[in-house]
Amino acid sequence: MKREDYISWDEYFMGIALLSAQRSKDNSTQVGACIVSPEHKILSLGYNGMPKGCADDEMPWDRDGTPLDTKYFYVCHAELNAILNADIGSLRGATVYVTLFPCNECTKAIIQTGIKEVVYLDDKYHDTDATRASRRMLEMTGVKCRRYEPSGRELTFAL
């Protein structure tokens, strides 16, 4: 008989997105993304961080202050990082698992690459214009969007 207590695909891929988020140096919000093919193969991973070549220690991570002294002009979001990190020809038909609902800019990239489903864990910016715009574009383009429902199961392992 086969084992029955294995984790589901959703648990597996959201778990990998959560693990990827732990690579972020952002002191307030860590976001991870995992892009998966229709055949359940991982195509790419990403987390929110500075662009390649921009030294983390020399870049601003603050949320408040003048725009050039905050993280917002510099940080590359997890979804966009995963899209840009993909080392394959196409993401068409893929699913992106992301720990935070995508902003409008990442949503544009999701749509343009042909990703067909967004599975998100948290939606803490639900009432902002950016996420309203995201929902509008996702609905308009037929990209399926659903909230990940945590199973409550826990996995622990030593690193």
Side-chain angles (χ1 to χ4, degrees):
M1 283 184 24
K2 74 175 184 177
R3 199 176 125 218
E4 305 243 346
D5 62 342
Y6 56 89
I7 61 175
S8 71
W9 286 119
D10 275 359
E11 289 170 318
Y12 179 63
F13 295 128
M14 189 57 75
I16 290 172
L18 285 162
L19 186 61
S20 296
Q22 295 306 303
R23 285 286 310 143
S24 175
K25 280 77 167 188
D26 192 321
N27 58 14
S28 61
T29 305
Q30 300 80 45
V31 182
C34 179
I35 301 176
V36 182
S37 77
E39 296 81 25
H40 305 293
K41 294 179 182 175
I42 295 173
L43 302 175
S44 190
L45 302 172
Y47 56 88
N48 59 321
M50 296 299 171
K52 290 178 186 175
C54 294
D56 293 331
D57 294 335
E58 297 173 24
M59 300 300 291
W61 289 99
D62 294 325
R63 295 176 62 146
D64 299 313
T66 61
L68 290 175
D69 294 325
T70 66
K71 64 182 180 176
Y72 299 109
F73 280 174
Y74 307 104
V75 169
C76 188
H77 289 179
E79 307 92 304
L80 185 58
N81 259 331
I83 288 168
L84 296 173
N85 288 339
D87 195 22
I88 60 161
S90 175
L91 297 177
R92 193 161 311 285
T95 297
V96 61
Y97 287 81
V98 63
T99 59
L100 184 63
F101 190 86
C103 73
N104 61 306
E105 293 299 322
C106 289
T107 294
K108 291 179 211 177
I110 287 166
I111 292 166
Q112 289 296 92
T113 58
I115 291 172
K116 288 298 177 196
E117 184 175 17
V118 175
V119 181
Y120 64 95
L121 178 62
D122 191 12
D123 193 12
K124 71 178 180 178
Y125 300 112
H126 183 326
D127 293 324
T128 66
D129 287 342
T131 55
R132 285 188 184 114
S134 294
R135 281 186 173 70
R136 183 179 193 180
M137 288 186 285
L138 292 168
E139 185 176 318
M140 188 178 290
T141 58
V143 175
K144 185 178 174 186
C145 186
R146 65 183 167 91
R147 184 177 209 132
Y148 172 77
E149 295 298 331
S151 64
R153 294 167 42 155
E154 291 188 19
L155 294 175
T156 33
F157 48 88
L159 298 175

